[in-house]
Amino acid sequence: MKILVTGMCGYIGSHTAVELLEKGYEVIGLDNFSNSKKEVLEKIKKITNKAFKFYEGDMIDRNILETIFKENDIKAVIDFAAYKSVGESVQKPLEYYINNVSSVLNLLSVMKENDIKTIVFSSSATVYGNPEEVPIKETSKIGGTTNPYGTSKLFVEKILEDLYKSDDTWNICILRYFNPIGAHKSGLIGEEPNGIPANLVPYIAKVAKGKLKSLNVFGNDYDTKDGTGVRDYIHVVDLAVGHVKAIEKLEKDKKGLHIYNLGTGTGYSVLEIIKTFEKVNNIKVPYNIVERRSGDIDSCYSDPEKAKKELNFKAKYTLEDMLKDAWNYEKNN
Ligand code: WQD
């Protein structure tokens, strides 16, 4: 089955492309390299030894999408293409809504024109805002997002719901990621944000490598086990496997609208992440406690039961695996 993977050269897109190719799917990639690198294509080929088609382009341009659907017998789409920095989204709301929402509108209308209605959409736990309860279930309240990045994901989820209400032959799976970290065991692909990393684990890896002086821990006065923020970290390869499971479900069901949390169900604090990274990699990570980062929340971790029951998905990598693989990637690149 031919699957269009938008944002294929990105962190999660590239890991998912590897899993799809290794499972025997045919992959057609699309990326505009706004937050990824062209050499990722070679690395995907090296890891999988499989061929795939690739188009350079931006989903803002309908023509590229029309060309791809005209030239390929696409049966499903996995849509990763989006900007994803919380902090940057506060500074550049327009760019985020144009890129993260308008491009999906283009994609959905070209899919409709071609009568292709199977899509897996990359959403985020940020749509829960500051959760009323943890662990978070898919039925937990959404909204109250604290930044345009999270709001853009919320908007697209609403668009997909309205689309399905208007035509229940759509076949949609919304995946809400918690905190993806780590890298493929080969060390060839991993998290490569442009500039200084906003996220915790890539920042720690750069401090360990000596590229950054020390880590700022954003606050230790949260209502958590040690006062620092608690999050549900999931290995990016587990996350990629979750996408294959979602495609398998859509292939079977043929129509429907499904929403799943993709997390481990376990929350770790910032200090636990630092200590575990130091232990498994036998390296020191200097840090200072500083004031809170605006928009951050105390605790966010998932109840992963629904994905386990309906997708037969369960994260298998441990926190030690995640942090070992994150360091292995940093050392190799
Ligand atoms: C984790 C914890 C920080 C950096 C965001 C998005 C989410 C997803 C992942 C896209 C928090 C603390 C961080 C640092 C720190 N993005 N921290 N020093 O904010 O939970 O989630 O990124 O898919 O949608 O919302 O991730 O890694 O930025 O922060 O102390 O230099 O680490 O306060 O407690 P976050 P994060």
Side-chain angles (χ1 to χ4, degrees):
M1 177 163 109
K2 278 199 172 72
I3 301 179
L4 170 61
V5 177
T6 73
M8 186 175 101
C9 292
Y11 178 41
I12 302 163
S14 53
H15 285 84
T16 302
V18 165
E19 295 304 321
L20 288 168
L21 289 163
E22 289 184 343
K23 267 270 182 181
Y25 289 98
E26 292 177 83
V27 169
I28 318 280
L30 171 63
D31 206 304
N32 65 0
F33 301 124
S34 62
N35 193 22
S36 57
K37 297 191 171 72
K38 196 165 195 159
E39 60 254 28
V40 166
L41 295 170
E42 272 320 301
K43 295 182 176 177
I44 294 172
K45 276 201 192 95
K46 195 164 173 204
I47 293 170
T48 61
N49 200 18
K50 301 260 181 166
F52 53 84
K53 269 178 94 171
F54 177 77
Y55 292 79
E56 181 177 352
D58 193 323
M59 292 194 333
I60 279 298
D61 162 18
R62 272 181 78 97
N63 300 329
I64 185 79
L65 289 166
E66 281 158 359
T67 303
I68 291 171
F69 277 87
K70 202 164 73 241
E71 295 178 355
N72 303 279
D73 180 20
I74 307 274
K75 290 290 178 229
V77 179
I78 304 183
D79 179 30
F80 293 106
Y83 297 150
K84 61 160 208 167
S85 164
V86 168
E88 186 187 52
S89 76
V90 175
Q91 311 305 323
K92 303 180 176 174
L94 254 191
E95 287 83 343
Y96 268 69
Y97 289 126
I98 290 169
N99 190 62
N100 290 11
V101 183
S102 311
S103 58
V104 181
L105 292 172
N106 275 348
L107 172 66
L108 294 172
S109 55
V110 172
M111 286 176 72
K112 185 162 178 271
E113 264 167 30
N114 291 275
D115 199 26
I116 302 298
K117 297 178 178 177
T118 298
I119 179 168
V120 176
F121 175 67
S122 157
S123 189
S124 165
T126 337
V127 301
Y128 294 111
N130 195 347
E132 280 171 344
E133 55 174 355
V134 281
I136 304 173
K137 294 184 188 321
E138 288 81 356
T139 48
S140 299
K141 195 162 131 327
I142 61 172
T145 43
T146 57
N147 57 77
Y149 159 73
T151 306
S152 72
K153 291 296 180 182
L154 194 64
F155 284 171
V156 176
E157 287 201 12
K158 290 284 173 206
I159 290 164
L160 290 169
E161 278 174 26
D162 288 344
L163 184 59
Y164 181 69
K165 274 188 207 137
S166 74
D167 169 1
D168 68 2
T169 62
W170 277 85
N171 196 16
I172 299 168
C173 196
I174 293 170
L175 300 179
R176 291 173 181 163
Y177 308 159
F178 280 72
N179 288 57
I181 61 169
H184 188 267
K185 59 184 180 311
S186 64
L188 289 171
I189 53 175
E191 188 162 14
E192 196 62 74
N194 289 342
I196 308 265
N199 292 132
L200 177 66
V201 171
Y203 198 103
I204 288 176
K206 298 235 180 283
V207 170
K209 190 90 183 281
K211 290 181 183 169
L212 292 168
K213 218 160 64 54
S214 79
L215 170 73
N216 290 321
V217 174
F218 298 141
N220 66 348
D221 57 350
Y222 285 102
D223 179 16
T224 61
K225 50 189 119 171
D226 60 21
T228 62
V230 168
R231 297 291 185 274
D232 181 336
Y233 297 93
I234 178 170
H235 198 295
V236 65
V237 173
D238 272 329
L239 199 64
V241 169
H243 287 74
V244 179
K245 298 278 188 187
I247 284 284
E248 287 168 352
K249 177 168 177 66
L250 294 180
E251 272 184 295
K252 199 161 50 60
D253 291 5
K254 305 279 182 256
K255 66 179 192 161
L257 171 70
H258 313 279
I259 300 177
Y260 299 104
N261 289 336
L262 290 189
T264 63
T266 305
Y268 289 103
S269 74
V270 177
L271 293 181
E272 285 174 318
I273 295 293
I274 296 169
K275 291 202 176 13
T276 309
F277 186 95
E278 291 180 327
K279 181 169 70 76
V280 296
N281 298 312
N282 191 22
I283 194 161
K284 277 308 280 170
V285 177
Y287 67 88
N288 309 294
I289 306 283
V290 299
E291 68 289 347
R292 291 183 174 195
R293 176 174 66 177
S294 73
D296 272 354
I297 56 179
D298 304 65
S299 248
C300 175
Y301 56 92
S302 69
D303 174 339
E305 278 318 298
K306 189 181 176 196
K308 184 164 170 235
K309 201 155 85 19
E310 296 184 17
L311 295 182
N312 182 27
F313 170 75
K314 188 170 177 358
K316 68 175 191 180
Y317 292 102
T318 64
L319 182 67
E320 289 74 10
D321 297 326
M322 299 180 214
L323 296 173
K324 243 186 233 151
D325 291 341
W327 178 230
N328 183 45
Y329 176 74
E330 185 60 41
K331 278 188 300 183
N332 284 286
N333 291 277

